[in-house]
Amino acid sequence: MLDKNFREFIYLFPGKNVVIYGLSIARVPPSPWRLALKRQAIGLMPERHFGESSGNLLGQDPYPASDFDEWAAIYDETIAAESGFPFEDYRRVLQTVLDQAQVAPGMSVLDLGVGTGNLALLFDRAGCELWCSDFSPQMLARARAKLPAAHFVLADLRGGWPAELERRFDRIVSAYVFHHFPLKAKVALLVELADQRLLPGGRILIADISFQNSAAREAVRRMVGDEWEEEEYWLADETLPALEQAGLRAIYTQVSFCAGVYRI
């Protein structure tokens, strides 16, 4: 792992190609969310999707919970401006989830990857009973401070389903999490949630970085330049048929130029 001095050096020189300790460091992105999310800038690590095995040449996880622990302290500050990729219209994206969920007081809601609790807070204010999971202890700590009555579970979606969540829910929601998974893994997880975790008449709502099609994605990639991060972003024209083939009917709403909501 990079030591503290190494990380601080990267922060001092955003947007630069750096050579340090004899290692060539890739161009360091200037945006805070990318600095927090991707510290494995050393070119020795192979590409890996979030849902795959955590092993690699250095025995490290490209998405360790520790990175999200560090991000927790500044996450709400990062998204406060709600401007630019990937958090354009962040609050409106979350509000769209609440609006499409059509909840009533007393409904049970599971928030997967709760982060600091911003989406869950909307459901709390609507009178719902909340279960919240995340693999970052520090993210959970900040969510607990906002939602003292909610149930919290430390869990990694890449692992087995936690025993604490062995029940069904009226609504299952998630925001800015699933884009780490390739499409096949997204669909498999959504099928499991619908079949095994959802009450009859329930709904799943996923807000995430998403585009209508590859042309829209490429237009945004060109527009944002160095701010772009190559992830498994949703494409509605691929996702909707894949979900339908798996037996799930979904409706997609594009909310901002880089994010939308899937209702299942």
Side-chain angles (χ1 to χ4, degrees), residues 87-105:
F87 293 123
E88 181 78 16
D89 287 335
Y90 175 82
R91 300 288 176 184
R92 187 158 65 96
V93 172
L94 301 192
Q95 184 63 44
T96 300
V97 173
L98 179 66
D99 293 344
Q100 294 193 5
Q102 296 184 341
V103 293

Side-chain angles (χ1 to χ4, degrees), residues 158-179:
R158 296 171 293 182
W161 191 257
E164 299 94 325
L165 298 177
E166 282 292 348
R167 52 159 295 165
R168 292 178 180 263
F169 301 89
D170 292 299
R171 301 289 185 267
I172 299 175
V173 302
S174 183
Y176 297 91
V177 174
F178 276 60
H179 65 271

Side-chain angles (χ1 to χ4, degrees), residues 76-233:
D76 287 344
E77 177 184 346
T78 301
I79 54 89
E82 301 187 54
S83 177
F85 180 82
F87 293 123
E88 181 78 16
D89 287 335
Y90 175 82
R91 300 288 176 184
R92 187 158 65 96
V93 172
L94 301 192
Q95 184 63 44
T96 300
V97 173
L98 179 66
D99 293 344
Q100 294 193 5
Q102 296 184 341
V103 293
M107 279 189 172
S108 57
V109 177
L110 170 62
D111 188 343
L112 296 172
V114 67
T116 62
N118 295 324
L119 177 58
L121 188 59
L122 298 181
F123 287 91
D124 178 71
R125 291 170 177 166
C128 297
E129 188 172 0
L130 287 162
W131 279 259
C132 307
S133 76
D134 205 287
F135 78 156
S136 162
Q138 290 303 313
M139 288 285 191
L140 284 179
R142 291 178 180 274
R144 281 192 183 96
K146 297 176 183 177
L147 301 157
H151 309 272
F152 290 95
V153 178
L154 181 65
D156 190 334
L157 285 176
R158 296 171 293 182
W161 191 257
E164 299 94 325
L165 298 177
E166 282 292 348
R167 52 159 295 165
R168 292 178 180 263
F169 301 89
D170 292 299
R171 301 289 185 267
I172 299 175
V173 302
S174 183
Y176 297 91
V177 174
F178 276 60
H179 65 271
H180 294 297
F181 292 88
L183 179 58
K184 184 177 180 180
K186 288 183 178 77
V187 172
L189 180 53
L190 289 170
V191 167
E192 177 186 349
L193 293 174
D195 288 348
Q196 302 180 31
R197 314 300 173 191
L198 201 62
L199 285 167
R203 291 184 179 184
I204 300 172
L205 296 111
I206 307 295
D208 210 343
I209 304 166
S210 182
F211 308 92
Q212 290 283 0
N213 49 46
S214 59
R217 178 188 62 192
E218 292 308 307
V220 173
R221 185 206 302 267
R222 292 192 298 270
M223 179 181 70
V224 303
D226 286 346
E227 292 298 302
W228 183 264
E229 177 75 3
E230 198 61 51
E231 301 273 7
E232 298 287 349
Y233 302 133

